[in-house]
Amino acid sequence: MKLGVIGLGRMGGNIARRLMKDGHAVVVYDRDGDAVQKLAGEGATASNDLKDMRAKLGDDAIFWVMLPSGKPTEETIRELGELASGGETVIDGGNTFYKDDIRRAKALREKQVHYVDVGTSGGVWGLERGYCMMIGGEKQVIDRLDPIFATLAPGYGSIPRTEGRDSKDDRAERGYIHAGPVGAGHFVKMVHNGIEYGLMEAYAEGFDILANKSSDKLPEEERFTLNLPDVAEVWRRGSVISSWLLDLSAEALAKDAELSRFRGDVADSGEGHWTIEAAMEEAVPAYVLSSALYARYRSRIEHTFGDKLLSAMRYGFGGHVEIPQ
Amino acid sequence: MKLGVIGLGRMGGNIARRLMKDGHAVVVYDRDGDAVQKLAGEGATASNDLKDMRAKLGDDAIFWVMLPSGKPTEETIRELGELASGGETVIDGGNTFYKDDIRRAKALREKQVHYVDVGTSGGVWGLERGYCMMIGGEKQVIDRLDPIFATLAPGYGSIPRTEGRDSKDDRAERGYIHAGPVGAGHFVKMVHNGIEYGLMEAYAEGFDILANKSSDKLPEEERFTLNLPDVAEVWRRGSVISSWLLDLSAEALAKDAELSRFRGDVADSGEGHWTIEAAMEEAVPAYVLSSALYARYRSRIEHTFGDKLLSAMRYGFGGHVEIPQ
Amino acid sequence: MKLGVIGLGRMGGNIARRLMKDGHAVVVYDRDGDAVQKLAGEGATASNDLKDMRAKLGDDAIFWVMLPSGKPTEETIRELGELASGGETVIDGGNTFYKDDIRRAKALREKQVHYVDVGTSGGVWGLERGYCMMIGGEKQVIDRLDPIFATLAPGYGSIPRTEGRDSKDDRAERGYIHAGPVGAGHFVKMVHNGIEYGLMEAYAEGFDILANKSSDKLPEEERFTLNLPDVAEVWRRGSVISSWLLDLSAEALAKDAELSRFRGDVADSGEGHWTIEAAMEEAVPAYVLSSALYARYRSRIEHTFGDKLLSAMRYGFGGHVEIPQ
Amino acid sequence: MKLGVIGLGRMGGNIARRLMKDGHAVVVYDRDGDAVQKLAGEGATASNDLKDMRAKLGDDAIFWVMLPSGKPTEETIRELGELASGGETVIDGGNTFYKDDIRRAKALREKQVHYVDVGTSGGVWGLERGYCMMIGGEKQVIDRLDPIFATLAPGYGSIPRTEGRDSKDDRAERGYIHAGPVGAGHFVKMVHNGIEYGLMEAYAEGFDILANKSSDKLPEEERFTLNLPDVAEVWRRGSVISSWLLDLSAEALAKDAELSRFRGDVADSGEGHWTIEAAMEEAVPAYVLSSALYARYRSRIEHTFGDKLLSAMRYGFGGHVEIPQ
């Protein structure tokens, strides 16, 4: 198929490459002209701006927007709406909040423009491994785009089949699903990232307990100096907690058992936050996912105001003196 | 009554004073001779060591041990057991783990020595306000000691009566209870402290949210610079969350709205930890009490090893780079 | 002063009464005519609808809206805006989300109508004890309304003064504060309720641990059958965790130690949820306040879908069989 | 090598089989004579009791104890100690608390008996996939037993190698490690299970949020009826959260999207609890691992006493009435 890719960062560039490798015709655009030229050198058609891209794609143009969520995506999609003459399809492959998808799709529908939201997982590994995609939108539109998704997805690969799937939609086994109407793709991806936070924090806490087992505050015979790279490695082998995140942990620890390259100021993006909002809207208890998010906030704060208040109360009722600042 | 007070720190000294003020005869001992002399100057009988105290108290001696929990208390009670000839009563008024009470009482029982555990709340304010006491031990022993508990307790005071208590044990209304067999006093006090951690952290988080509402990361019209001393004060007046801990918070904030005297390294003592152990033994979910305890651990750590592992995983799957140490 | 009270439920009715008792002239309206007649019988001026109330209040009318948050409040305030000729003041005394205040105030400002948000705590006890109020709005407007707030607030009462407040705004000591611009009143009240959830859950978990200490799953010598009414009562006396919520707990337990009148399906209103949203917007870790909210969600669910998935995974890796449904 | 396997349940039986398949000579014992006969039929040497097994193994006998932790394991190991003449090795392959290992090893050392603790992961899949083992004990003893561990472990298999391990102990890559002195094996396994609880709960909460997205309490355009089997399947393909636990979830959901075979009463074994104890001993914040444990406790309770107390307080301050029991 022919489509435009807008945004040639780590994700967008590799998406364009993976599409071209499989024979799709790709028109590219990025604010950064060098990025455009680089892809043009690899076989893509360069474009100067969205209007130019629109012209080069012709009627029923398909735009894959792969930009940071928030303002960059919002403005690009608005501009695409303005350029549109009807029949176009706008795919948002970024990390957009699903309620923004619903709002945008409604606005574009009035101009006969289709909107598709694609939650994309795979990070820097996607070019090689393929992208896992969760897609929201109208059935006929998604069906028409199928060759694109089939190319970008990992495919069956060597992953053992899940028993009981014979009569089921095989797109899931090839790495993409049509999750539901507009917004459903990003919603599923959002929850995916919420889970990711929880999984990561579970490993983080566990390795923290292992790392601190050598503390000299413990009775001597209960102190162990554990080899964390070996522990992470052995857990990859037949244990219940083997996972890709564990593979990454094992690799990081194998390179540096102290992880001294990392300070531990952990960023969070919108998905963790939105997942908790969704849980609250549904009245679903999400203790673990919230705690995982808060651990990231806390990692970036030296002392909270709340901690100071605890000290102040302790001083108030018990005369407990803490070292002044 | 006549009794010995062992340990003349902040708590023990004031307990001796409150007892003497009400006419009890108090023999005192502390490793620190100056503390002993100070109390002697206020009317107590000094003693040089536990043996001397035993002699000065005579048969059926009553010892109130008010020492740091752990080794100091353990060793003193062992020594009292060795000195005992039968009929004595050992009261542990400190913050002992209730399972240690059960063990010690068993050992002392073989020597016909009674053991009573008293969980004592009231902090530095006890001399003036009286001590809230939760007592464990045999009924006859507790009954015999009643004049001591009645003196130490706050008494009815001006606190409004709880409806529905007319036919109930009025000791609770005077500020002490016989909670159950040996260990029950410290168990109830332990849970008291567990709850205290939870209450404190609830205020801490709430004030943290208020304090950060002026952050310039928020949209300008949603930023408020709140007067925390006034907020704390107004909540003392007719609000659902009024409490003594809030009174203390209001006072600390009135003195210094920034709490800049406090760094926020918050200590924890055994009770918070033991409360969680008790919850786990009973399979009771204790999310809030655990989180309150962990907030204190976290307040004393700059970056956890777990935080570094999160950063390492994020680098592994997304190429996210964090500022190196 | 003269003002209209719209909504004569438990809160609104008592607010009207407390105002009249102190000499204010009150015009009342409620969809329920009987509620209007009842207040009229106590000295209020009845009105048939908002237009009638507007007429009876004259220029510069002051409306105190005391309705359920959400649609009822929203529509009433919209209608008041439509009736307004400029110079009126609309006070929202309910539990409105503070961002709705900001939005509404902006709309009303175009019609020269003032908007004031008042977070009100005090529940069913307010008529007698007074209402604790957190107020947001413009300074001149709040100042003009001061006689109303002074009447509704508890006043100094017998609560001991906080040290260090001599040079500070004494309204806080009388039970109300001007928290900041529009929205700030409800924001502070919202966090108040968030804290309330946390405090309540801390007591709930603590009493749960006490109640389960008699479980026959524990070793016999570590089982205690505790008298919870007495425990709650004694903690009211000189303990660190004394509070109004504890007073209420003591009363409930005194009436029925098993709390058998209550099933334990615990409702939550918007404030707990919004407090967590605020924490996330500010990147403040709010472990305890979240957990307290989730405990309420969980109390209303028999088994979560998540629990079933845990069982399914356990069956998958360990062959652990659960009792079938 | 020649060794005895004591306890022929799901785990013990398969361990014996995997050892025999690789040429080891196995003497077996179980209280259940049928289990013994079954293994004898597959090539093992039957024994009637521990004494008989001791005789059949000869000097320097090696015993692999694979029994439920607690009393069965404790008593068997005590009996082996009594039978021992020195030089024997007792391996505890169960889920023993690591402090019990330390205590037992000390006792056995006095009789010149070696003690080795092996934390074993792999569940019902071990016979086929091999067992992931974390081993504690003296170096020479572990080295001597190496052929046994090498057989039981999964071996390199087809799992991609972790970069940076070339110069490291390759046992980890074959699926077993010598974690440290006695107790270290079970300690590492214990933390493994603590992490497992956290991972499982992260998936559970995430799928719960997906499942409840169709709730009719949500605005209609924000409701999605998601195909959970497809979601689980697609996440196995190139997503960041792929793992063995996700594979198992996908399989369970493929068989029954409602998981209606499962009620959701989730059991917990000691390891989750002990992991939290370890975290507290080290003052490591373990929010996620605790929450995961508590979710299991909570899954088995209809209404907690704490929930009732919340309702009682709400009634006390707000007159909120709950549906009576």
Side-chain angles (χ1 to χ4, degrees):
Chain A
M1 294 186 87
K2 191 173 186 177
L3 83 163
V5 173
I6 302 163
L8 303 172
R10 205 159 36 205
M11 291 285 282
N14 283 346
I15 280 173
R17 282 181 191 98
R18 194 167 165 101
L19 286 165
M20 291 190 292
K21 226 168 46 180
D22 204 33
H24 297 283
V26 179
V27 184
V28 295
Y29 173 67
D30 194 290
R31 281 192 324 184
D32 172 6
D34 290 351
V36 174
Q37 287 319 311
K38 194 159 176 232
L39 262 294
E42 301 179 36
T45 303
S47 65
N48 302 319
D49 52 27
L50 297 183
K51 205 176 160 189
D52 183 31
M53 177 180 272
R54 170 72 188 76
K56 282 169 172 155
L57 288 168
D59 283 346
D60 299 342
I62 300 164
F63 303 95
W64 184 294
V65 183
M66 200 74 218
L67 291 167
S69 64
K71 217 170 142 189
T73 299
E74 185 73 25
E75 287 179 358
T76 298
I77 292 179
R78 184 163 20 81
E79 197 181 332
L80 290 172
E82 285 158 12
L83 290 171
S85 58
E88 291 89 347
T89 298
V90 174
I91 303 167
D92 180 358
N95 279 322
T96 288
F97 184 43
Y98 76 99
K99 294 188 185 181
D100 289 330
D101 293 318
I102 294 171
R103 173 179 50 76
R104 286 181 198 153
K106 213 182 268 182
L108 290 174
R109 203 171 300 140
E110 290 173 16
K111 304 184 179 183
Q112 274 72 50
V113 176
H114 306 292
Y115 185 90
V116 172
D117 56 291
V118 181
T120 314
S121 183
V124 292
W125 299 80
L127 176 57
E128 178 191 329
R129 300 187 1 162
Y131 299 93
C132 172
M133 286 169 294
M134 297 136 257
I135 305 161
E138 302 152 83
K139 188 181 180 313
Q140 338 58 309
V141 182
I142 309 293
D143 286 349
R144 182 185 158 223
L145 300 173
D146 193 72
I148 293 172
F149 298 130
T151 292
L152 289 175
Y156 294 110
S158 60
I159 296 171
R161 278 201 81 191
T162 298
E163 231 182 282
R165 285 206 59 88
D166 282 348
S167 58
K168 293 194 158 63
D169 190 338
D170 84 325
R171 288 179 295 183
E173 296 185 71
R174 286 182 286 123
Y176 62 108
I177 58 169
H178 179 198
V182 166
H186 278 139
F187 183 82
V188 172
K189 174 57 168 37
M190 176 195 85
V191 175
H192 167 279
N193 284 30
I195 293 173
E196 177 190 304
Y197 280 37
L199 301 179
M200 288 172 72
E201 184 64 18
Y203 288 115
E205 291 182 4
F207 278 96
D208 211 355
I209 296 170
L210 296 176
N212 282 281
K213 189 59 179 167
S214 62
S215 163
D216 55 16
K217 285 177 196 152
L218 298 173
E220 199 168 348
E221 67 177 8
E222 295 179 5
R223 267 179 239 160
F224 304 132
T225 302
L226 300 162
N227 183 318
L228 300 191
D230 278 6
V231 169
E233 185 61 33
V234 83
W235 286 348
R236 298 179 66 226
R237 311 274 161 176
S239 110
V240 170
I241 66 172
S242 59
S243 70
W244 191 45
L245 287 165
L246 179 64
D247 294 349
L248 297 173
S249 299
E251 189 174 324
L253 288 162
K255 284 185 188 151
D256 171 10
E258 313 285 324
L259 300 177
S260 48
R261 288 175 57 208
F262 301 97
R263 189 167 64 187
D265 285 329
V266 191
D268 67 285
S269 53
E271 290 86 2
H273 175 148
W274 302 329
T275 300
I276 303 308
E277 277 192 20
M280 293 194 293
E281 286 173 3
E282 302 173 10
V284 164
Y287 294 98
V288 159
L289 305 191
S290 299
S291 292
L293 178 63
Y294 294 159
R296 296 194 175 192
Y297 296 162
R298 188 62 187 82
S299 79
R300 308 190 303 254
I301 304 168
E302 198 175 331
H303 282 103
T304 69
F305 186 77
D307 292 341
K308 289 175 202 275
L309 185 63
L310 293 179
S311 290
M313 284 191 253
R314 280 172 51 78
Y315 178 75
F317 67 70
H320 304 288
V321 180
E322 261 152 29
I323 306 144
Q325 208 161 18
Chain B
M1 295 187 85
K2 191 172 185 178
L3 83 164
V5 173
I6 301 163
L8 302 173
R10 206 157 38 202
M11 291 286 283
N14 283 345
I15 280 173
R17 283 183 190 97
R18 195 169 165 100
L19 286 166
M20 291 190 291
K21 225 167 49 178
D22 204 33
H24 298 282
V26 179
V27 183
V28 295
Y29 173 67
D30 195 288
R31 282 192 324 183
D32 171 5
D34 290 350
V36 174
Q37 286 318 312
K38 193 156 175 233
L39 262 294
E42 301 178 35
T45 302
S47 64
N48 303 319
D49 53 25
L50 297 183
K51 204 175 163 193
D52 183 30
M53 177 180 271
R54 170 73 188 77
K56 282 170 174 156
L57 287 170
D59 281 349
D60 299 341
I62 300 164
F63 303 95
W64 184 294
V65 182
M66 201 71 219
L67 291 166
S69 64
K71 217 171 145 190
T73 298
E74 185 72 26
E75 287 180 358
T76 297
I77 292 179
R78 186 165 17 81
E79 197 181 332
L80 289 173
E82 284 159 10
L83 289 171
S85 58
E88 290 88 348
T89 298
V90 174
I91 303 168
D92 180 357
N95 280 321
T96 289
F97 184 43
Y98 76 100
K99 294 189 185 180
D100 289 329
D101 292 318
I102 295 170
R103 173 179 50 75
R104 286 181 197 153
K106 215 182 268 181
L108 290 175
R109 202 171 300 140
E110 290 173 15
K111 304 183 179 183
Q112 274 75 47
V113 176
H114 306 292
Y115 185 91
V116 172
D117 55 293
V118 180
T120 313
S121 183
V124 291
W125 299 80
L127 176 56
E128 179 192 327
R129 299 185 5 160
Y131 297 93
C132 172
M133 287 169 293
M134 297 134 259
I135 306 162
E138 302 152 82
K139 189 180 180 316
Q140 333 68 299
V141 181
I142 309 292
D143 286 348
R144 181 185 159 224
L145 300 173
D146 192 72
I148 293 173
F149 297 131
T151 291
L152 289 175
Y156 292 111
S158 59
I159 295 171
R161 279 200 78 191
T162 298
E163 233 183 280
R165 287 207 57 89
D166 282 347
S167 58
K168 294 196 157 65
D169 189 339
D170 82 326
R171 289 179 293 183
E173 294 185 73
R174 287 184 285 124
Y176 62 106
I177 57 169
H178 179 198
V182 165
H186 278 139
F187 184 82
V188 172
K189 174 55 169 39
M190 175 196 86
V191 175
H192 168 280
N193 284 30
I195 293 173
E196 177 189 305
Y197 281 37
L199 300 179
M200 288 173 71
E201 184 64 17
Y203 288 116
E205 291 182 4
F207 277 97
D208 211 355
I209 295 170
L210 295 175
N212 283 282
K213 188 60 179 167
S214 62
S215 163
D216 55 16
K217 283 176 198 156
L218 299 173
E220 197 168 349
E221 65 178 11
E222 295 179 5
R223 270 179 236 160
F224 304 133
T225 302
L226 300 163
N227 182 319
L228 301 191
D230 279 6
V231 169
E233 185 62 33
V234 81
W235 286 348
R236 298 180 64 227
R237 311 274 162 176
S239 111
V240 171
I241 65 172
S242 60
S243 71
W244 192 46
L245 286 164
L246 179 63
D247 294 348
L248 297 172
S249 299
E251 190 175 323
L253 288 162
K255 285 185 188 151
D256 172 11
E258 313 286 325
L259 300 177
S260 48
R261 290 173 55 209
F262 301 97
R263 190 165 64 186
D265 285 330
V266 191
D268 68 284
S269 52
E271 289 87 1
H273 176 148
W274 300 330
T275 300
I276 304 310
E277 279 191 19
M280 292 193 294
E281 286 173 4
E282 301 173 11
V284 164
Y287 294 98
V288 159
L289 305 191
S290 300
S291 292
L293 177 64
Y294 294 157
R296 296 194 175 191
Y297 296 162
R298 188 62 188 79
S299 79
R300 308 191 304 253
I301 304 168
E302 198 175 332
H303 283 102
T304 69
F305 187 77
D307 292 340
K308 290 175 200 274
L309 184 63
L310 293 178
S311 290
M313 283 191 252
R314 278 171 53 78
Y315 179 76
F317 66 72
H320 304 287
V321 180
E322 261 153 28
I323 307 146
Q325 208 163 17
Chain C
M1 295 187 85
K2 192 171 186 178
L3 81 164
V5 173
I6 301 162
L8 302 173
R10 206 158 37 203
M11 291 285 282
N14 284 344
I15 280 173
R17 284 182 189 97
R18 193 167 165 101
L19 286 166
M20 291 190 291
K21 225 168 46 179
D22 204 33
H24 297 282
V26 179
V27 184
V28 294
Y29 173 67
D30 194 289
R31 282 193 322 185
D32 171 6
D34 291 349
V36 174
Q37 286 320 311
K38 192 157 176 233
L39 263 293
E42 301 178 34
T45 303
S47 64
N48 303 319
D49 54 25
L50 297 183
K51 204 177 162 190
D52 183 30
M53 177 180 271
R54 170 71 188 79
K56 283 170 173 155
L57 287 169
D59 282 349
D60 300 341
I62 301 164
F63 303 94
W64 184 294
V65 182
M66 200 74 219
L67 291 167
S69 64
K71 216 171 146 190
T73 298
E74 186 72 25
E75 287 181 356
T76 297
I77 292 179
R78 185 164 18 81
E79 197 180 333
L80 289 174
E82 284 159 10
L83 290 170
S85 58
E88 291 88 348
T89 299
V90 174
I91 303 168
D92 180 357
N95 280 322
T96 289
F97 184 42
Y98 76 100
K99 294 189 186 181
D100 289 330
D101 292 318
I102 294 171
R103 174 179 50 75
R104 287 180 197 154
K106 215 182 269 182
L108 290 175
R109 202 171 300 139
E110 289 172 17
K111 304 183 178 183
Q112 275 74 50
V113 176
H114 305 292
Y115 185 90
V116 172
D117 54 292
V118 181
T120 313
S121 183
V124 292
W125 300 80
L127 177 57
E128 178 192 328
R129 299 186 5 160
Y131 298 93
C132 172
M133 286 169 294
M134 297 136 257
I135 306 162
E138 301 152 83
K139 187 181 181 315
Q140 334 65 301
V141 181
I142 309 292
D143 286 349
R144 182 185 157 224
L145 301 173
D146 192 71
I148 293 171
F149 298 130
T151 291
L152 289 175
Y156 292 110
S158 59
I159 295 171
R161 278 200 79 191
T162 298
E163 232 182 281
R165 287 206 59 89
D166 282 347
S167 58
K168 294 195 157 62
D169 190 339
D170 82 325
R171 289 178 294 183
E173 295 186 72
R174 286 183 287 125
Y176 62 108
I177 58 168
H178 179 197
V182 166
H186 278 138
F187 183 82
V188 172
K189 174 56 167 39
M190 175 195 88
V191 175
H192 167 280
N193 285 31
I195 293 173
E196 177 189 305
Y197 281 36
L199 301 179
M200 288 172 73
E201 184 64 17
Y203 288 115
E205 291 181 5
F207 278 97
D208 211 356
I209 296 170
L210 295 176
N212 283 282
K213 188 60 180 167
S214 62
S215 163
D216 55 17
K217 285 176 197 156
L218 298 174
E220 198 168 349
E221 65 178 9
E222 295 179 6
R223 269 179 236 160
F224 304 132
T225 302
L226 300 163
N227 183 318
L228 301 191
D230 279 5
V231 170
E233 184 61 33
V234 81
W235 285 348
R236 297 180 65 228
R237 312 272 161 178
S239 111
V240 171
I241 65 172
S242 59
S243 71
W244 192 46
L245 287 165
L246 180 64
D247 295 349
L248 297 172
S249 300
E251 190 175 323
L253 289 162
K255 285 185 187 151
D256 172 11
E258 313 285 324
L259 301 177
S260 48
R261 288 175 56 209
F262 300 97
R263 189 166 63 187
D265 284 329
V266 191
D268 68 284
S269 53
E271 291 86 1
H273 175 148
W274 301 330
T275 299
I276 303 310
E277 278 193 19
M280 292 194 294
E281 285 174 5
E282 302 173 11
V284 164
Y287 294 98
V288 159
L289 305 191
S290 300
S291 293
L293 177 63
Y294 294 157
R296 296 193 176 192
Y297 296 161
R298 189 61 188 81
S299 79
R300 307 191 305 253
I301 305 167
E302 197 174 332
H303 282 103
T304 70
F305 186 77
D307 292 341
K308 291 175 200 274
L309 185 62
L310 293 179
S311 289
M313 283 191 253
R314 279 170 53 78
Y315 178 76
F317 66 73
H320 304 287
V321 181
E322 214 192 31
I323 307 144
Q325 207 162 19
Chain D
M1 295 186 83
K2 190 173 189 177
L3 82 164
V5 173
I6 302 162
L8 301 173
R10 203 159 40 204
M11 290 286 282
N14 284 345
I15 280 174
R17 282 181 191 98
R18 195 169 164 99
L19 286 165
M20 290 190 293
K21 224 168 48 177
D22 204 34
H24 298 282
V26 178
V27 183
V28 295
Y29 174 68
D30 194 289
R31 282 192 322 183
D32 170 7
D34 289 351
V36 174
Q37 287 319 312
K38 191 156 178 236
L39 262 293
E42 302 178 34
T45 303
S47 64
N48 302 320
D49 53 26
L50 297 183
K51 204 176 163 192
D52 183 30
M53 177 181 273
R54 170 72 186 79
K56 283 171 171 152
L57 287 169
D59 283 347
D60 300 340
I62 301 164
F63 303 94
W64 183 294
V65 182
M66 202 73 218
L67 291 166
S69 64
K71 218 170 142 189
T73 299
E74 185 71 26
E75 288 180 357
T76 298
I77 293 180
R78 185 164 17 81
E79 196 180 333
L80 290 173
E82 284 158 11
L83 290 171
S85 58
E88 290 89 347
T89 297
V90 173
I91 303 168
D92 179 357
N95 279 322
T96 289
F97 184 41
Y98 76 99
K99 294 189 186 182
D100 289 331
D101 292 318
I102 295 172
R103 172 177 51 74
R104 287 180 196 153
K106 214 182 269 182
L108 290 175
R109 203 171 301 140
E110 289 172 16
K111 304 184 178 181
Q112 273 75 49
V113 176
H114 305 292
Y115 185 90
V116 172
D117 55 291
V118 181
T120 313
S121 184
V124 292
W125 299 80
L127 176 57
E128 178 192 329
R129 300 187 4 160
Y131 298 93
C132 172
M133 286 169 294
M134 298 135 259
I135 306 161
E138 302 153 83
K139 189 182 182 314
Q140 333 66 300
V141 181
I142 309 292
D143 286 350
R144 180 184 160 225
L145 300 172
D146 194 72
I148 293 172
F149 298 129
T151 291
L152 290 175
Y156 293 110
S158 60
I159 294 171
R161 277 201 79 191
T162 298
E163 231 182 282
R165 286 206 58 90
D166 282 348
S167 58
K168 294 195 156 63
D169 189 340
D170 83 325
R171 289 179 293 183
E173 295 185 72
R174 287 183 284 124
Y176 62 108
I177 57 169
H178 179 198
V182 166
H186 278 139
F187 183 83
V188 172
K189 174 57 167 39
M190 174 195 87
V191 175
H192 167 279
N193 284 30
I195 293 172
E196 177 190 305
Y197 281 37
L199 301 179
M200 288 172 73
E201 184 64 18
Y203 288 115
E205 291 182 3
F207 277 96
D208 210 355
I209 296 170
L210 296 175
N212 282 281
K213 189 59 179 167
S214 62
S215 162
D216 55 17
K217 285 177 197 154
L218 298 174
E220 196 168 349
E221 66 177 8
E222 295 179 6
R223 270 180 235 159
F224 304 131
T225 302
L226 301 163
N227 183 318
L228 300 191
D230 279 6
V231 170
E233 184 62 32
V234 82
W235 286 348
R236 299 180 64 227
R237 311 275 161 176
S239 112
V240 171
I241 65 171
S242 59
S243 71
W244 192 45
L245 287 164
L246 179 64
D247 294 349
L248 297 173
S249 300
E251 189 175 324
L253 288 162
K255 285 184 188 151
D256 171 11
E258 314 285 324
L259 300 177
S260 48
R261 289 176 55 211
F262 300 96
R263 189 166 63 185
D265 285 328
V266 191
D268 68 284
S269 53
E271 290 86 1
H273 176 148
W274 302 330
T275 299
I276 303 308
E277 277 192 21
M280 293 194 293
E281 287 173 3
E282 301 174 12
V284 164
Y287 294 99
V288 159
L289 305 191
S290 300
S291 292
L293 177 63
Y294 295 157
R296 297 193 175 191
Y297 296 163
R298 188 62 188 81
S299 78
R300 308 191 305 253
I301 305 169
E302 196 174 334
H303 282 103
T304 70
F305 186 78
D307 291 341
K308 290 175 201 275
L309 185 62
L310 293 178
S311 289
M313 284 190 252
R314 278 171 54 78
Y315 178 75
F317 67 71
H320 303 288
V321 181
E322 215 192 30
I323 307 142
Q325 208 161 17

